Amino acid sequence: EAMDWQAQADGTSQECGCCYMDYSPSSMVPCQAGHTFCVGCVRRQVQETVFGIASNVVCIPCMSTCGCKSTFQFSKVREVLPRDLLRCYEKRQEDDALLKAALPGLVSCPHCNLRVEVPEEQRILRCPRESCGRETCKLCGEPPHIPLRCEEVEKTNAAVARLTIEERMSQAMVRTCGKCKASLIKEEGCNKVTCPRCGQIMCYLCRKKIEDYSHFCQHALAPDTKCTACIKCSLWTTAKEDDAQAVREAKEAALQEQLELDPTAIQLDRRPIGPSEEPKHASGGAKA
């Protein structure tokens, strides 16, 4: 800030093309066409690119209002990014490159989400990440069970039944993008949510891909009031109550499945099953 004040005092400051504030030349980052922007605006542009719906994260576009189609050199942007943001930016570039490559043998580790290329004839995914290193069946995500097929693996004992139900309850709180498989959690806003990775729009209630607001009930209703005139999804509901209801339904469905597989497995284990049905929301997620 001292350098910025000094630059303004001696007349050497430059105006940021985004926020229109004056800064010292050392606090500015130019696009390849020569338009200059302050470090703060460049960082915010990178954040919006990384965590927003940008389809191209390889190059950071110029922010000039003159219609400039140029981009920032990565070497220039890299110099002004905090370490954590730079790491997220590089990770987003890597994820998008893998997604666009659409490699047929690319499988995500169910424990750490690292994408690993597994040969078609190989059934076991061995995670190469040192902090993980687990082995799982690439088809069902369970521990290796060769020579048994996935549907032949015995899953009817009490411990496994409990784990299955609890996993289903936890998964119920998370919506998954139908296009890129990114996990979404809504903290606030309406039920029309946009995937922060690929931009696909979905309904938070029924989890279906949608195009616009026509998917939702158009009748005038008080908040959290169910419409009696149509069966369309409500645009405004409480995220906490929505998730709690999804967890209850997932628990009931999973419990019924386990009872059909082996009634004794659940009956012998009388402890409460699953996490709290009033989930605590994460600090980040999809926005309406």
Side-chain angles (χ1 to χ4, degrees):
E1 291 185 1
M3 296 179 63
D4 295 333
W5 282 108
Q6 183 61 42
Q8 293 176 27
D10 59 26
T12 61
S13 63
Q14 298 179 358
E15 184 182 68
C16 171
C18 181
C19 67
Y20 304 109
M21 299 291 290
D22 292 329
Y23 298 90
S24 67
S26 61
S27 298
M28 304 294 281
V29 182
C31 77
Q32 298 187 65
H35 300 114
T36 54
F37 305 89
C38 69
V39 170
C41 285
V42 171
R43 288 177 176 176
R44 282 190 290 273
Q45 178 74 343
V46 173
Q47 288 177 328
E48 293 177 1
T49 301
V50 173
F51 302 109
I53 62 174
S55 60
N56 178 20
V57 298
V58 177
C59 299
I60 304 299
C62 175
M63 297 174 283
S64 175
T65 57
C66 70
C68 177
K69 302 299 183 182
S70 184
T71 58
F72 291 92
Q73 290 184 347
F74 178 69
S75 59
K76 298 290 186 182
V77 175
R78 183 187 182 94
E79 292 175 357
V80 301
L81 294 184
R83 182 178 300 177
D84 290 345
L85 181 56
L86 176 60
R87 186 181 300 113
C88 290
Y89 178 42
E90 292 176 334
K91 180 65 168 58
R92 174 73 191 274
Q93 287 182 312
E94 175 187 329
D95 289 345
D96 279 23
L98 291 173
L99 186 64
K100 292 176 180 177
L103 299 176
L106 205 61
V107 182
S108 294
C109 172
H111 303 288
C112 69
N113 293 321
L114 178 67
R115 295 178 182 269
V116 183
E117 188 173 3
V118 182
E120 183 178 357
E121 66 278 4
Q122 183 175 318
R123 293 177 56 183
I124 305 303
L125 185 160
R126 296 179 175 84
C127 182
R129 179 172 283 169
E130 292 184 3
S131 60
C132 180
R134 301 187 186 185
E135 293 188 354
T136 53
C137 171
K138 76 172 185 179
L139 299 178
C140 66
E142 297 291 335
H145 48 74
I146 295 176
L148 297 178
R149 296 193 302 272
C150 296
E151 60 270 21
E152 295 176 330
V153 178
E154 182 61 53
K155 300 179 181 179
T156 57
N157 61 74
V160 175
R162 169 179 294 278
L163 178 61
T164 300
I165 296 172
E166 291 180 344
E167 287 180 345
R168 290 276 292 276
M169 293 174 68
S170 297
Q171 292 169 1
M173 294 184 289
V174 181
R175 275 60 170 173
T176 302
C177 173
K179 183 177 180 180
C180 70
K181 307 306 178 184
S183 298
L184 310 175
I185 296 179
K186 180 171 74 76
E187 290 181 311
E188 56 186 13
C190 69
N191 289 318
K192 175 178 171 287
V193 297
T194 302
C195 174
R197 173 178 290 177
C198 70
Q200 178 163 288
I201 303 173
M202 67 179 290
C203 172
Y204 194 76
L205 292 180
C206 68
R207 313 190 184 202
K208 294 180 180 178
K209 175 186 174 182
I210 62 175
E211 299 296 332
D212 50 38
Y213 288 101
S214 62
H215 171 82
F216 300 97
C217 171
Q218 303 298 310
H219 299 97
L221 298 171
D224 294 317
T225 301
K226 188 174 181 179
C227 182
T228 58
C230 71
I231 58 173
K232 288 187 175 182
C233 296
S234 298
L235 179 61
W236 295 97
T237 53
T238 304
K240 184 177 181 180
E241 294 180 0
D242 293 340
D243 287 349
Q245 178 64 26
V247 169
R248 286 192 294 269
E249 293 176 354
K251 177 180 179 180
E252 293 173 1
L255 183 58
Q256 184 60 38
E257 290 178 7
Q258 292 302 314
L259 287 172
E260 292 176 358
L261 288 173
D262 184 359
T264 62
I266 301 300
Q267 293 172 357
L268 292 175
D269 191 343
R270 299 182 181 277
R271 294 173 297 164
I273 296 177
S276 169
E277 295 184 3
E278 295 185 355
K280 295 182 180 180
H281 291 279
S283 58
K287 299 296 181 183

